[in-house]
Structures are given as C-alpha cells and as structure tokens.
Amino acid sequence: MTDTAPQPTLLADYAPFPFTVEQVALTFRLHPTRTRVLSRLSLVPTVPGQPLYLHGENLTLISLTLDGAPLTDVARDAEGITIPAALLPATPFTLEAEVEIAPEGNTALEGLYMSGGIYCTQCEAEGFRKITFYPDRPDVMAPFRVRIESDMPVLLSNGNPAASGPGWAEWVDPWPKPAYLFALVAGDLVAHFASFTTRSGRATPLNIWVRPGDEDRCAFAMDALQRSMEWDEQVYGREYDLDVFNIVAVDDFNMGAMENKGLNIFNSKLVLATSDTATDTDYERIERVIAHEYFHNWTGNRITCRDWFQLCLKEGLTVFRDQQFMSDMRSAPVKRIEDVLTLRARQFREDMGPLAHPVRPDAYVEINNFYTATIYEKGAEVIGMLKRLVGEEGYKAALDLYFDRHDGDAATIEDWLKVFEDATGRDLTQFKRWYTDAGTPRLAVQDDWRDGTYTLTFRQETPPTPGQPDKPPRVIPIALGLLNPNGDEVLPTTVLEMTEAEQSFRFEGLSARPVPSILRGFSAPVVLDRTAPPGERAFLLAHDTDPVNRWEAGRALAKDVLARMVAEGAEPAADLLAGLEAVVRDETLDPAFRALCLRMPAEDDMAQTLHAAGVVPDPEAIHAARKRLQLALAQRLAPVLPGMIQGLASPGPFNPGAEAAGRRALRLACLGLLTRLDGGDAATRAHAEADNMTDSLGALACLLDAGRGEAELAAFHQRWQGNRLVIDKWFMVQVLHAAPERLAEVAGALTRHPDFDWKNPNRFRSVMGALAENHAGFHHPSGAAYRLLADWLIKLDAVNPQTTARMSTAFETWTRYDADRRAQAREALQSIAARPGLSRDTAEMVGRILKAGDA
C-alpha cells in the first residue's frame, strides 16, 4: 500500500462546475495502439475569474487550442489539466484538444478498450477521462455529436444516426448527458433486429449487436427489451425518446451492463441465451438486467445524479423498478423472497462489517468501490418503504412530479424526497435517515395478551458502524397480520408506522390470543429479534396467508434447528421436517415457492446469524450440520421424491417462462435430496437425459456433491469447449461443489487449465468468485484458499484494479471467525496490501477490511 493515503472526496465540498458545456463534438480515428481523439467543447463561463480544470488520465496530448490559438501555459497533473483563469475569456469560447490513446493495451476495461477485436467503452464512473480531457463529473451535461473513422463494418455511438459513408459514421445525441453515459462501439458485428411502436405511434428500430454466429441467441433478450418498453409506458408513463435503440454484447466487461443513452453495452452473458447453453437463472438475470438498463433511460439518463454521492438516486430507484417489473413478469412472492435472500446475503453482510456505509455516503476515496449492495439493493428497499408509507396513489403522484420537475436535471436525494413531500404533504425529515445513516436496524419485539387486547411493543436499535457510533430512531413501516389459533386471519395486512426508539401498538376485541405475522412482505430491511413461542414458526409455515412470511417462518425454523445442531449436536427437529414435507406435498403452491422452501439457509448466512448472536461460527461444523439436515429431510421425503422428479419433468419443448422454470427448480431440489440417499444414481440418469442447460448443470452439481461426475465433467468440456460462457459454468460448478478440504487444490488446478483466461472478468470470477462462495472451503483452517485468492488478486490488480477491488470483499467477514482463521486471513490481506504499486481501488478496500481487525 502506498505510504500516502489518497485524500477522500467529501460531499460537503461539492461546488457546481463554474462553466456550462453547451456542445461537445468528438472525432475518433480508431487504431488499436494509436487512436486519435479530437474534441471540441463549446463553453460558457458561469462564475467569473475561475480556472478551467479538465480531467484526463493516461492521455498523450498532441494539441490544445482556445478559440483556435495554441495553449501552452497549462498546468498538468496525473489526473488532468488546469487552464488558468487569466487565459480564459469572460465570454463563450471553444476549446479543442487532440490526444492519443491505446485501446488494445487498456486491460483495466475503463475508457476506450478492445474486447476480442471490438472497440468498446465503459465510462461509468470515471472512464471518460481516459478518452479525452473533459469535466468528467455527472452534473456537467451536454449534447454530443460524434464522428467515428474506422474500417470496421459497424460504427455505433449514442443517440441517432446522422450520416455515414465508407469508413465513417456520425451520431448525434440531442439529449444533454454527462460524460459517464458516453458510448462508442466499432467492430465486425451483426444485428438481431426487431422494432417497438411507442404509445405515441413511433416505430423504433431495436438492434442487439453480437459477433457473427451469435445472432440466433438473442431472441429472449429482445423479447425482454420489448416487454420492458411496454411495461415502462403502462406503469410509469415513460416513452422511449430516440429514433433507434441499440444493445451490444461484448465478452470483456467489468460489470453486468451499462445504460449509455441509446447504446447499452452488455456483458455477453447477460444477452446470449438458448436452452442448451443458458440456465433458468441466466434467463431470469437477462430479463432483469435488460429491463434495468432500459429503465435507466429515464431514471439515470434523462434525470441523472448531481454527484456520485447521489448514486443510489439512479441505481436504487432503477433496481426498485426492475424488481416491480420482474414481479409482474413472474411470481411476485417468489421474486420478493429472492430479493430478500439477495439483500441478506450481500447487503446485511456489508452493513455488519468494515465496508458498511450509508445509502448516500458522505465521503469516498475511489468511487468504483461504492457500487455496492447498499447502494443498489438497500437503495431499492428504501424506495419500497417510501411507497408503502405514501401508498400507491401517493407514489404515482410523486413520480409524475419527479419526472416533470427534474427532466434534464442532475438531481439529489433532497430533490427526490422533496417531490414526495410536495405530492403527499408528508414530512420526510426522519425518513431521510435511511439515506444518511449506515447499518441494519435490529427490531426487538415483545407481546402481551390481556382481556381480549393484544399488544406488540417494538424497540429499534442500529448497531455502530465505521464513523457512525450512534443512530437516532428511523421510520420503520411494519406490515402486520394477526391469525387466530385455527389459522383464520383476524387482522389483514396493516402497515404500522414506527417512529420512536420504542413503540407499542394495541389490538382490541379479540376472542383468542393471536399469532402475529410481522414484517409481511419484508416491509423493511431490518433484523427481527423475537424469541417465538414453541410451535409458532411451524404454525406460520403451515397457515400464514402472506407467502413471504410463510417462507420466512420455515427459514427461521431451519436456522434455529441448524444453530442447535451446530452448538449442541442436536438432531434435526421433527416439526421442521413435517412442515417442509407439508409444503412439498401441497400441489396448490407454486413449484418455485416450494423449491425455495426446500433451500436450506446458506452456510455464510448461518455464520452471520451465529456471529450476530455472539457465537464464533465454525465453518466446518456449519457445513456438517447442513449436510445432516439435508439428509434427514431426504429421508423424510424418500417415498415421494422419485415420483416428484418424474412428475415434474417438463413436457414438450423448453420454455424459459416462470411456470416451467419453477417446475425445473423444484425437480432439481428433489434430485439434490435424492442424491443424498442414492449417491448420485438418479442424477447420473438425469444428466444423461437432460435436454437443456438447467437440467444438465443441475444434475452435474448433484454428482459433484456425491463425489462423482468426472466422466460427465470431461464430456461437458468436450462438448462446449468452443463456447466461452458455457465453459465459465464448467469452471464454476467444480469450485462451488468441491469438498471443503479439496477446494484450494481444485481451484488451483483450474487456474492452470489452458482455458483459464484470468484477464477476462467472467472467467476470473467463475473460479475466484466461486472460491469465495464455497464457505467451508474458503474458510478451511489450512488458510490455503485465503492464500490462493490473495495471490491471484495481487496478480490481477496490475491489470484490472476495478475487478480486483470488488473481489477483495471476499475477506470482509474475516474478523468473525476464530483466532487461527483470523491470523491466516490477516496474513493474506497484508500480502495484498504490501504489494508495491497497489492500485488505489484495491488499496482502499483492503485497508478498510484490514482495519476491522484493529477494533
């Protein structure tokens, strides 16, 4: 780590840019190693006497002129140039620059780079400064005109096509945008074409651009795009606003996708899908991310964020919108449960560790490190709470006002909350704490039953987080239902509004003590602390009318059972097994819901639960207990498993829709349980008979869990070795399902495989990301997995700092384990921190994670 720590950027220091950029004209003369970028900026001073600072990194400056006259007396540092105020006129002026960059050598995949011979860009958050000198900040918005000169057959940029000829094309984006939304793609590409007619009657061409040979794998993505456009018109009243919409799929991409105005650039794994190459999980992710990036056209592009501290304004809102969309496209209860699982697995863990930060942070060192679950998932939860508090009509009125008032703006959280206050008349001063205070509140509950009156008393407390030791109470919407002992609902879902540190709610005129169903629909991102009476969770698992809480009851019961099995060596509880059997046998329930109920709490989730209860988690003991519980459930369901597996087989051709996917999910869950009993015989048959990737990969995972599958792995690789995305799956399944004691050996061997392209983010994550997800193996007492990951992060950092920094979060929970594991993890982290020339991205993350050990 460098001796001098970088100085953080502070929200309190925000100042508007002292110039207006009225027009941007760019010319690109593309070359793999010597691309020339010519820029012409039309600027107007808005604050007299100010110098002009333009960001620019790793640029070879060829020329710089102001109103045609050469500029030589400028100051330059590693991050940009400063033109002194004395050289600037007080009236509008034109600044022109010519720079040279080398896309082929840009392995960081930020700015303009090449992916398999295709030129492409990634400019969020601060990649545009690696293309040319510019005020690279989100509150500087301007229309762009772009000319691309190249012998590549397809030349694309933002906006509408303006003109083209042999070896060149021009694009004009009429809508002002910040530089982070700039995009350019040039390459040998073919289009999967369709169109969409907007509600005002404009026929809009839609293109998904891919490498030749991949065009037959785009149909689902195109269908998802068309459904997203229709949904946004119907639900939010938002119509597409350009003459064409383009998506490009590239293999080398640090993230999932990017919402550049009119030219979305996608990681190819989130576009390409056919039944024999993509799983149901892939299809669902494609559907969601296609929608997410399209929805950004209004919530992110037309209205952007004033500064990067407001990142949740565009990302949290757009995640909430894509969650709504997916709930409408698929099973709403199952979708909500999956969102809760994601939040707890990623964001709760973040909130409980050294990387905790508010939904709107007030400082950052490297903005790339704040593309987090807190910004995205918790940001969406905050908007969901706001919607519950103001109701459907209030939410609609506020969003309409938001779009009317702030179209074309770079907005803030204060702007966002103000439209809700103006539209609904509510005071949201206290609610704003969800944006400014880090940490997950813990909600303790006590109840009292007396003379027909039932009283619930809630107490909220948010644990200390880095830089925020004390937290005042927040507004917490608590969706509550009450059930009679016979299962009848005596109080339908009602939203209680908690505003105090401790608050009681009374329910009178009841004939019997009710069973409470608290936080229905997971109405707030909190941890519920309640010691349920014996049998209550089993009762709710059987009778709750809220599907999310019905699942929650089973999951809480399973976690209680697993905790006792880990701590006391207890046997699996009969009431849990009976409740799960009842759910599995209930054919009136959605198969996808039944499959979720069969999914045991993840090992990392159990470690987090034990740690929160003051218990030092033992990864080996958790792994062993979870396997014992799965075996006990398999034995309980043994009479029905073969019949269910056979009965759930999908008749007819593959259908990626929610109903068929749910049947496959339940079938594979049953196959996994049966594997515990037959050692993989049924899985061997299922793999041989599989006619789609979901069934094939699922059966292969079962075989690996049983210690089998070598022949099937070899055949899988032989068949798919030419398909990069499928081979990612081949790598990942082996690491995820490796025995804990062999994890480092298996992953290490795969890094030496000829197909392991460690510079490709997808391939690197397929091994190292899976390594971190194999909980018992990653935290094996030998520390071998810690050292393996650290060695590879050191290697990757010199090439791709952004991916390295994100992958380093695998270590964020290191302090919750025993002294020996902590010592091994600390040593691994220190080896990363000590690497000379460590990037700012990785240095910040590793430094914050290491600091947790000093507490």
Side-chain angles (χ1 to χ4, degrees), residues 26-31 35-37 101 103 111-114 118-123 128 131 146-150 152 154-158 169 171 177 179-187 189 248 250 253 260-261 263-265:
L26 301 173
T27 297
F28 289 82
R29 294 169 182 161
L30 297 177
H31 186 279
T35 288
R36 288 291 178 99
V37 183
I101 55 178
L112 178 65
Y113 67 95
M114 300 193 75
I118 299 171
Y119 292 91
C120 59
T121 55
Q122 171 53 36
C123 294
F128 192 77
I131 293 175
V146 177
R147 178 181 174 92
I148 309 169
E149 298 175 4
S150 172
M152 291 291 188
V154 175
L155 307 174
L156 305 172
S157 191
N158 306 90
W171 291 79
K177 66 172 180 285
Y180 82 84
L181 290 171
F182 171 78
L184 178 150
V185 173
L189 299 164
V248 179
V250 298
F253 206 70
N260 318 294
K261 182 74 176 178
L263 177 55
N264 289 185
I265 300 179

Side-chain angles (χ1 to χ4, degrees), residues 34-252:
R34 299 187 307 279
T35 288
R36 288 291 178 99
V37 183
L38 291 74
S39 64
R40 185 173 70 253
L41 312 182
S42 301
L43 296 116
V44 178
T46 54
V47 181
Q50 293 294 306
L52 174 61
Y53 185 80
L54 302 176
H55 299 98
E57 297 179 10
N58 304 321
L59 307 174
T60 299
L61 179 60
I62 307 301
S63 66
L64 183 66
T65 65
L66 193 156
D67 287 337
L71 271 176
T72 56
D73 190 15
V74 298
R76 184 169 183 181
D77 58 33
E79 297 182 358
I81 58 173
T82 301
I83 303 174
L87 299 180
L88 299 173
T91 55
F93 61 92
T94 300
L95 188 73
E96 295 179 272
E98 182 174 358
V99 303
E100 186 173 278
I101 55 178
E104 194 173 61
N106 182 0
T107 59
L109 312 184
E110 294 178 280
L112 178 65
Y113 67 95
M114 300 193 75
S115 172
I118 299 171
Y119 292 91
C120 59
T121 55
Q122 171 53 36
C123 294
E124 189 177 357
E126 296 177 339
F128 192 77
R129 63 190 61 186
K130 297 180 179 179
I131 293 175
T132 191
F133 290 104
Y134 193 79
D136 190 5
R137 43 187 287 171
D139 60 343
V140 175
M141 303 173 70
F144 279 60
R145 185 178 189 95
V146 177
R147 178 181 174 92
I148 309 169
E149 298 175 4
S150 172
D151 59 0
M152 291 291 188
V154 175
L155 307 174
L156 305 172
S157 191
N158 306 90
N160 300 319
S164 62
W168 65 276
E170 291 186 356
W171 291 79
V172 174
D173 187 353
W175 301 103
K177 66 172 180 285
Y180 82 84
L181 290 171
F182 171 78
L184 178 150
V185 173
D188 182 9
L189 299 164
V190 293
H192 180 99
F193 171 81
S195 65
F196 179 81
T197 301
T198 67
R199 62 180 182 174
S200 63
R202 291 186 302 108
T204 305
L206 311 176
N207 299 297
I208 298 180
W209 297 92
V210 295
R211 297 179 188 279
D214 283 337
E215 58 269 32
D216 62 344
R217 301 165 65 192
C218 303
F220 183 79
M222 181 62 80
D223 177 63
L225 174 59
Q226 292 169 314
R227 285 184 285 115
S228 301
M229 298 176 80
E230 182 178 10
W231 185 90
D232 210 20
E233 288 187 347
Q234 293 176 350
V235 177
Y236 279 85
R238 299 298 104 194
E239 184 175 338
Y240 187 61
D241 54 1
L242 289 170
D243 296 341
V244 63
F245 188 83
N246 289 310
I247 290 175
V248 179
V250 298
D251 288 342
D252 300 280

Side-chain angles (χ1 to χ4, degrees), residues 732 735-736 742-748 764-779 784-790 792 807 810-811:
M732 184 177 293
V735 181
L736 283 176
R742 294 193 61 241
L743 175 63
E745 175 191 347
V746 170
F764 189 87
R765 286 188 288 256
S766 72
V767 175
M768 292 300 147
L771 178 86
E773 287 185 43
N774 187 325
H775 180 261
F778 184 62
H779 298 289
Y786 295 157
R787 291 189 293 274
L788 179 65
L789 179 58
W792 275 102
M807 293 291 295
F811 288 103

Side-chain angles (χ1 to χ4, degrees), residues 44 106 201 254 291 358 368 421 692 769 798:
V44 178
N106 182 0
N254 283 333
N368 285 329
E421 291 182 328
N692 62 80

Side-chain angles (χ1 to χ4, degrees), residues 318-534:
T318 306
V319 169
F320 181 70
R321 277 158 41 81
D322 79 49
Q323 290 174 349
Q324 290 180 292
F325 169 77
M326 292 298 288
S327 292
D328 287 349
M329 296 299 108
R330 294 175 179 260
S331 163
V334 169
K335 182 67 184 66
R336 183 58 183 151
I337 292 167
E338 290 173 343
D339 290 340
V340 172
L341 282 168
T342 298
L343 183 80
R344 287 175 172 164
R346 298 179 58 219
Q347 200 281 320
F348 277 22
R349 171 172 138 159
E350 197 167 85
D351 257 353
M352 294 178 182
L355 303 182
H357 62 86
V359 173
R360 184 179 69 180
D362 56 12
Y364 63 80
V365 172
E366 174 51 62
I367 186 55
N368 285 329
N369 291 338
F370 277 89
Y371 282 75
T372 64
T374 297
I375 299 294
Y376 283 71
E377 277 74 30
K378 190 172 182 178
E381 292 295 321
V382 173
I383 291 168
M385 285 189 291
L386 192 53
K387 184 172 183 287
R388 288 183 190 94
L389 290 170
V390 304
E392 292 281 352
E393 291 304 315
Y395 179 79
K396 183 181 185 304
L399 265 292
D400 288 345
L401 179 59
Y402 179 64
F403 292 126
D404 289 345
R405 180 180 290 177
H406 293 292
D407 185 13
D409 283 357
T412 66
I413 292 302
E414 285 75 16
D415 295 329
W416 165 251
L417 293 177
K418 186 68 165 61
V419 299
F420 275 85
E421 291 182 328
D422 291 350
T424 67
R426 290 186 62 109
D427 181 351
L428 296 175
T429 303
Q430 185 183 15
F431 185 84
K432 186 180 176 182
R433 292 172 187 161
W434 281 104
Y435 284 105
T436 60
D437 293 357
T440 300
R442 302 189 73 88
L443 193 63
V445 189
Q446 291 183 330
D447 63 349
D448 179 71
W449 166 251
R450 193 173 305 170
D451 301 327
T453 298
Y454 184 64
T455 304
L456 282 169
T457 300
F458 296 91
R459 186 176 66 258
Q460 61 167 297
E461 181 182 5
T462 304
T465 53
Q468 291 186 327
D470 301 312
K471 318 286 174 61
R474 312 183 192 189
V475 179
I476 300 179
I478 304 168
L480 175 77
L482 299 178
L483 287 79
N484 260 342
N486 65 357
D488 293 340
E489 191 170 66
V490 294
L491 177 73
T493 302
T494 302
V495 177
L496 311 177
E497 189 170 332
M498 184 179 184
T499 58
E500 306 296 331
E502 184 172 311
Q503 202 165 341
S504 296
F505 299 89
R506 292 160 54 92
F507 307 90
E508 299 175 339
L510 302 176
S511 60
R513 183 187 186 112
V515 177
S517 173
I518 305 170
L519 283 179
R520 284 187 160 182
F522 198 65
S523 59
V526 301
V527 173
L528 187 64
D529 287 330
R530 180 168 184 267
T531 303

Side-chain angles (χ1 to χ4, degrees), residues 292-312:
H292 179 96
E293 304 307 334
Y294 175 74
F295 296 156
H296 264 312
N297 187 59
W298 277 91
T299 52
N301 297 1
R302 287 285 288 261
I303 306 176
T304 192
C305 48
R306 186 196 70 177
D307 51 68
W308 291 121
F309 298 102
Q310 322 294 331
L311 180 59
C312 63

Side-chain angles (χ1 to χ4, degrees), residues 687 700 708-716:
H687 186 268
L700 183 56
R708 296 167 60 172
E710 289 300 319
E712 287 81 0
L713 274 174
F716 189 100

